[in-house]
Each structure stands twice: as structure tokens, then as C-alpha cells.
Amino acid sequence: MTSPWDLYDQLIDEIPSDITVTQIHTDGKWRRIASSDDGVGMAFGMNVQSRPRIADDPSELIGRPLRDVAALAKSWNFEDAGIGMAAINAYHSHPEVALARGFTPCEENNWARTFHPYAPLVAGKRVAIIGHFPFAAAAMPDAAELNILERNLFEGDYPDSACEYLLPDMDYVFISGSAFVNKTMPRLLTLASNAHTVVLGPSTPASPALLHAGATTVISFASAHPARLEDGLAGRSLRGMYDAGARVQLSRA
């Protein structure tokens, strides 16, 4: 019998034991972790702390094995979980690791154009997007249905609990990698098993394990420039975070 934790455990266990954490940043929208092999990982910050924190002072995690910090991804305190997913991505989304596993750079290194390549593919199809991406609807105008599911609702969105009812009937499902942080990713992949399913965004590990778990395509962000990423996120470089890395993708054959 499989467990929802299997995907998390695989991502954590594959991290080499000799890589350590060199930086942690918890300000702003993204949680970021840099590692001793020049990796840097991001994950969406969810400041939801109903459960006790494991990492009361994140700076105390500096110097710890990256694999140990990655285990925080399984925490039910989502602030901890964001740090854990950033640690997972510091390894899996290191460009050398991602490219060695078959990931290739996306044609456009531009987040706002993530959905444009899918416009002809989704024409006349039923589409669901997990996460409110403000530019998605305009990029796919010919979809027969476009259903946006979101926990923090905007006008016209479905609440995220609608996934149980909507996803099994969709042709294309796009899932934000932030679903790893709130632990919904394994269930969303199961519900979307009949669809062409794309897991995307900087919170997404560049790992083939996601394909084995049910995704059709994985789109991640790979960087080996922690300082440059901080400059980009702070607005100190022309192209922002994309001066520090590139969007990469891998699909099932």
C-alpha cells in the first residue's frame, strides 16, 4: 500500500548526506535555502502556524545536513514546511542535478508566459488550475472550460476543496508546486490521474519522481547562484530571479 508520504520521503532520501545548509532566508514571498554545493532552492511561504514550530529560529539550521532540513517538508506547521521544501529544491533543482536527470531549459525563461505553449493544446478542452495565476486565463482563451481552484479566493475562483469534484473530469490540470507545502500534492496527482497534468513553479522539485507519482510534465526553476537570486528577488537586477537561473522541464515519454 502506498502512502501520501512516499513522494516526500523519496525526495528527501535522495539528497546526499554530505551537503549542508549555508543560508536561510524567510522574508518576503519565498523561503530560500542555499547549500554547500552552491544550490539554492525556493518554496512558497505559507505563514500558517497552528501547529508548534520545529524550527523556532531558522538561522540555527545553518550548517545542518541539507537532508535533515529537507525533512521539515513533512511538518504540519506550514512555515517549517516551506523551509523544508526549499531545502529539497536546493538539491533537486540544482542545474547540474536537473540536467543530468533529463530536464531541459524551457524555450522562454519568463514566468508570465508559462501557460502560452499550452494554448493550442487546451483548445476545446476542460482545464483546471490549482492556484490563482492572474495571467493564465488570457494565455488559454480557447479552452472550453477554465476552472481556477484557490485556497485564498479571488472572484470567480472555486474553493480548493472543489478538487475532489472537478479534477477527475478535466483534460488538463496545472498544479502549483506550492501544493507540496500544504501537503495536497499527492492527492491532487491522484485526482488528476486521467488528465494531462503539469506541476509547475519555483516550489516544484526538478525530479523525475513527480512523473512516477502521476505528473505528465514538471516545470521547475533551477539556479546555482544564491547571491544573484537574492539580488533578483530584491529588485536589484534587470530580469529579477531569472538573472539567477532558468526554468527547466521534463515530460513523460
Side-chain angles (χ1 to χ4, degrees):
M1 181 180 295
T2 60
S3 162
W5 292 122
D6 289 347
L7 178 55
Y8 291 87
D9 289 336
Q10 180 175 351
L11 292 168
I12 294 164
D13 292 345
E14 288 179 356
I15 300 173
S17 60
D18 59 343
I19 301 175
T20 58
V21 172
T22 57
Q23 298 176 34
I24 294 181
H25 299 279
T26 58
D27 58 302
K29 178 179 179 180
W30 302 101
R31 306 297 173 255
R32 290 95 65 203
I33 283 191
S35 60
S36 58
D37 62 344
D38 291 324
V40 58
M42 305 169 64
F44 188 70
M46 296 183 185
N47 192 18
V48 179
Q49 302 195 49
S50 61
R51 297 293 301 160
R53 291 210 57 181
I54 297 171
D56 288 328
D57 182 358
S59 66
E60 294 180 356
L61 299 174
I62 295 174
R64 294 280 300 278
L66 184 67
R67 182 194 287 177
D68 291 355
V69 178
L72 291 174
K74 298 176 70 172
S75 172
W76 287 106
N77 182 300
F78 290 166
E79 182 62 29
D80 281 341
I83 293 171
M85 283 309 304
I88 284 175
N89 293 335
Y91 173 70
H92 290 280
S93 297
H94 191 297
E96 291 183 4
V97 175
L99 295 177
R101 291 172 166 176
F103 280 79
T104 57
C106 296
E107 288 189 11
E108 293 188 88
N109 197 29
N110 184 330
W111 175 236
R113 292 191 55 85
T114 294
F115 295 96
H116 286 73
Y118 289 93
L121 301 176
V122 303
K125 304 294 186 181
R126 297 166 296 179
V127 178
I129 303 175
I130 312 299
H132 188 100
F133 299 95
F135 43 79
M140 299 184 288
D142 297 324
E145 288 181 34
L146 185 61
N147 308 291
I148 297 175
L149 293 81
E150 173 61 57
R151 183 156 296 186
N152 300 308
L153 295 167
F154 294 79
E155 184 175 355
D157 291 351
Y158 285 92
D160 61 346
S161 54
C163 66
E164 297 284 340
Y165 303 84
L166 296 179
L167 297 195
D169 295 326
M170 294 295 108
D171 299 304
Y172 280 79
V173 176
F174 298 86
I175 306 174
S176 167
S178 60
F180 274 106
V181 179
N182 66 20
K183 310 298 185 295
T184 57
M185 182 63 74
R187 180 59 181 164
L188 292 172
L189 289 172
T190 298
L191 290 170
S193 60
N194 294 326
H196 182 115
T197 304
V198 182
V199 182
L200 70 166
S203 302
T204 303
S207 171
L210 278 66
L211 302 181
H212 301 314
T216 309
T217 298
V218 178
I219 303 176
S220 184
F221 178 75
S223 175
H225 301 286
R228 203 180 300 173
L229 179 61
E230 290 305 305
D231 284 342
L233 293 174
R236 295 190 293 267
S237 63
L238 184 63
R239 297 174 60 245
M241 61 185 278
Y242 296 102
D243 278 329
R247 298 170 62 238
V248 294
Q249 65 179 6
L250 180 66
S251 297
R252 267 190 270 160

